[in-house]
Amino acid sequence: MDKSASHLASTRPVTETLLELDGVETYYGPLRALSDVSLTVAEGTVTVILGSNGAGKSTLLGTIMGVLDGQPRRGTITFRGQRIDGMATEKIVRAGISYVPEGRRVFPQLTVGENLKVGAYTVRDRRSTRRTLERVREYFPVLTDRQNQPAGTLSGGEQQMLAIGRALMNEPELLLLDEPSLGLAPLLVGQVFDIISQICDEGVTVLLVEQNARMALKVADYGVVLEGGELVVSGTAAELVDNDEVEELYMGAASTTSEQSVASDTSEE
């Protein structure tokens, strides 16, 4: 059993609300992608968003980050009590939220070190940036070894580590992760989730979209399930693990995802 299996909801205290969505609705043209979604994310916790493909998981993260023009069309999003719905993405980043989208999206022509430097563009305190860089290197030692290497030449697992490290360079209070295990071999999946748990234990709140439900619920404190753009189940991680419907629909995805990951990432490692 990997170390992340020991991190369950009971290990972290309940704290104040950091992020709150109330009645959020997002549209793609006339099509409603999110319908009356309300949820809270407690400070110092990991919350996982589960759901099938097309359920609205990535749309939810994109709506929070303000990367979808004119969205949400209805509802409110507050971060530390401040409305951020309708706010420009750059201002949301400066407010303390970082986002790692699906597919890593590192800058392939820049070196690893340059990618990390870009992540700190909103931070003016150089000493603070140096401290954060050292912490990122502790999380991902391979990035030190690859610091002068173009990011596009890294393996899939290394690029995922770089994408997370770059997001942390902004010194966020809230980290949004979209499918961090996608395309990774099982050994790397375990390492990434260990680091996600450690990041949260060290003070960064995490909101996570993940197909590998079994692994995600090992590190999560809370979870929600989206179906057809609607929030249909919510509770602690332990409650979702014990939910027969969640077990039937999503727990089997872990083995399938792992098998697909081997084929995707083995050639890159």
Side-chain angles (χ1 to χ4, degrees), residues 109-142:
Q109 303 303 321
L110 299 182
T111 66
V112 167
E114 289 167 340
N115 268 269
L116 293 175
K117 186 176 180 179
V118 168
Y121 81 98
T122 64
V123 183
R124 296 183 178 180
D125 187 334
R126 293 184 178 180
R127 288 178 298 179
S128 178
T129 297
R130 285 194 294 269
R131 288 194 298 268
T132 303
L133 179 59
E134 288 305 310
R135 188 170 68 171
V136 168
R137 287 172 172 171
E138 289 175 4
Y139 290 144
F140 308 110
V142 69

Side-chain angles (χ1 to χ4, degrees), residues 207-256:
L207 181 60
L208 165 72
V209 163
E210 183 54 53
Q211 287 280 354
N212 191 332
R214 190 177 301 278
M215 182 66 78
L217 288 171
K218 288 180 179 179
V219 303
D221 301 284
Y222 303 97
V224 301
V225 177
L226 285 178
E227 281 300 335
E230 297 183 0
L231 196 156
V232 294
V233 179
S234 64
T236 67
E239 288 170 344
L240 266 62
V241 168
D242 290 336
N243 184 300
D244 291 340
E245 184 177 1
V246 172
E247 170 74 26
E248 179 181 356
L249 293 176
Y250 304 110
M251 294 305 193
S255 60
T256 302

Side-chain angles (χ1 to χ4, degrees), residues 34-266:
L34 295 176
S35 178
D36 195 25
V37 173
S38 297
L39 66 87
T40 60
V41 176
E43 184 177 10
T45 62
V46 175
T47 299
V48 61
I49 305 169
L50 304 176
S52 58
N53 289 333
K57 305 184 301 297
S58 296
T59 297
L60 181 57
L61 296 190
T63 299
I64 293 169
M65 284 305 299
V67 298
L68 305 176
D69 290 342
Q71 306 299 330
R73 191 175 297 179
R74 295 188 179 89
T76 60
I77 305 173
T78 58
F79 178 67
R80 285 213 175 282
Q82 177 187 6
R83 288 275 299 272
I84 63 170
D85 51 282
M87 187 181 289
T89 299
E90 181 179 353
K91 291 185 177 180
I92 293 173
V93 172
R94 291 184 182 277
I97 305 178
S98 285
Y99 175 42
V100 181
E102 181 182 340
R104 300 144 194 164
R105 301 187 192 179
V106 298
F107 299 107
Q109 303 303 321
L110 299 182
T111 66
V112 167
E114 289 167 340
N115 268 269
L116 293 175
K117 186 176 180 179
V118 168
Y121 81 98
T122 64
V123 183
R124 296 183 178 180
D125 187 334
R126 293 184 178 180
R127 288 178 298 179
S128 178
T129 297
R130 285 194 294 269
R131 288 194 298 268
T132 303
L133 179 59
E134 288 305 310
R135 188 170 68 171
V136 168
R137 287 172 172 171
E138 289 175 4
Y139 290 144
F140 308 110
V142 69
L143 298 184
T144 300
D145 300 333
R146 304 281 195 270
Q147 63 180 340
N148 296 318
Q149 187 171 326
T153 65
L154 301 181
S155 71
E158 290 166 348
Q159 288 188 23
Q160 186 62 273
M161 294 175 186
L162 176 57
I164 295 173
R166 184 180 62 189
L168 291 173
M169 290 299 298
N170 182 50
E171 301 179 7
E173 293 183 76
L174 175 63
L175 178 63
L176 308 184
L177 297 172
D178 194 350
E179 300 285 7
S181 77
L182 186 65
L184 302 187
L187 178 61
L188 286 176
V189 170
Q191 292 175 356
V192 167
F193 275 101
D194 281 344
I195 291 166
I196 290 171
S197 186
Q198 184 180 352
I199 288 169
C200 183
D201 288 342
E202 295 181 2
V204 179
T205 303
V206 178
L207 181 60
L208 165 72
V209 163
E210 183 54 53
Q211 287 280 354
N212 191 332
R214 190 177 301 278
M215 182 66 78
L217 288 171
K218 288 180 179 179
V219 303
D221 301 284
Y222 303 97
V224 301
V225 177
L226 285 178
E227 281 300 335
E230 297 183 0
L231 196 156
V232 294
V233 179
S234 64
T236 67
E239 288 170 344
L240 266 62
V241 168
D242 290 336
N243 184 300
D244 291 340
E245 184 177 1
V246 172
E247 170 74 26
E248 179 181 356
L249 293 176
Y250 304 110
M251 294 305 193
S255 60
T256 302
T257 302
S258 296
E259 291 170 2
Q260 293 171 344
S261 297
V262 173
S264 174
D265 205 53
T266 299

